[in-house]
Amino acid sequence: MNNQLSQRQAEKLADPGTHRVADNLYIYVRVRGGVVSRQWRMRLQLEGKRRWIGLGVVPAVSLKDAKAKVWELLNEVDTTQRTPTEIMADARAEKKA
């Protein structure tokens, strides 16, 4: 069964909830006041707890970029032994500086 979404399908998705797109990559859809918003999220398990990391909104962040960010974060976790949350916090701090 192929449950992976394409970029076009992700941009048109209007069913509220969290939908799997690829390994560790999900799209979160929220409908509020008739307005549909979509956000890319990375899902991972750290110390027995499920964690979600926001990667950006659709369509500002493409499916290709979201997949690349997941791969980049997972690679960095493997090489540095830091959590993705720590890595993202450092990246945000660098942008502000």
Side-chain angles (χ1 to χ4, degrees), residues 5 10 34 36 60 88:
L5 298 174
V36 179
M88 295 292 284

Side-chain angles (χ1 to χ4, degrees), residues 3-19:
N3 61 348
Q4 295 191 4
L5 298 174
S6 69
Q7 176 73 31
R8 179 173 288 207
Q9 290 169 324
E11 289 176 1
K12 292 185 178 192
L13 194 61
D15 185 24
T18 303
H19 308 273

Side-chain angles (χ1 to χ4, degrees), residues 14-52:
D15 185 24
T18 303
H19 308 273
R20 184 175 185 271
V21 177
D23 290 342
N24 299 318
L25 180 61
Y26 292 76
I27 186 170
Y28 173 69
V29 180
R30 185 172 78 179
V31 179
R32 184 177 274 176
V35 177
V36 179
S37 61
R38 299 165 191 87
Q39 179 185 25
W40 297 115
R41 289 185 172 180
M42 177 182 176
R43 177 182 181 247
L44 62 153
Q45 193 103 359
L46 292 173
E47 298 173 0
K49 294 184 180 181
R50 183 179 304 156
R51 301 283 184 221
W52 293 96

Side-chain angles (χ1 to χ4, degrees), residues 7 25 40 55 60-71:
Q7 176 73 31
L25 180 61
W40 297 115
L55 303 173
V61 176
S62 70
L63 173 59
K64 182 179 177 180
D65 292 342
K67 284 181 177 180
K69 189 65 176 176
V70 167
W71 185 83

